[in-house]
Amino acid sequence: MILPAEKELRAALARFADARIEHDVRPTGRTSRRLEDATYTLCVITGATGTEQALHMADSLLQGYRSSREDGTREDGVREEGIREEDIQEDETLAA
C-alpha cells in the first residue's frame, strides 16, 4: 500500500468529519452523497474496506507520523541530519 502524505490524510479526515456532521444535522440527498464520497476517499487513501477500519487506519498512520517527527525522521524517511531510515536499518543489519 502506498502511504498517504500526512497533509492529504488530515484533509480527507476533515472532509469526512464535515460531511458526517452536516449529514447528521440535516440529512438530504446531497449530504448523503457528500458523506458517501468522503467515506470512499478515506477508505481508498487508507486501504480500508469500511468506515471504522478506515478511521482506525488513519489513527494508526497519524500516530506513525507523530512518532517519526519525534525521532527526527521526516515523512519521506530522511532523518533531519540527511540520513535515510533505510540506510540505518541496513547498517544495523550488517553490524549484527
Side-chain angles (χ1 to χ4, degrees), residues 83-96:
I83 302 170
R84 291 182 314 151
E85 203 56 35
E86 299 87 54
D87 296 336
I88 293 171
Q89 292 171 354
E90 288 175 12
D91 289 346
E92 290 173 356
T93 303
L94 293 174

Side-chain angles (χ1 to χ4, degrees), residues 7-45:
K7 182 179 178 180
E8 281 75 27
L9 179 58
R10 288 186 182 278
L13 281 167
R15 187 170 161 229
F16 172 80
D18 287 344
R20 181 76 179 255
I21 291 167
E22 183 181 16
H23 184 70
D24 286 349
V25 171
R26 289 187 195 93
T28 65
R30 186 184 72 71
T31 62
S32 179
R33 286 187 298 278
R34 186 171 178 242
L35 179 57
E36 287 175 17
D37 183 52
T39 301
Y40 175 80
T41 300
L42 188 59
C43 286
V44 168
I45 203 169

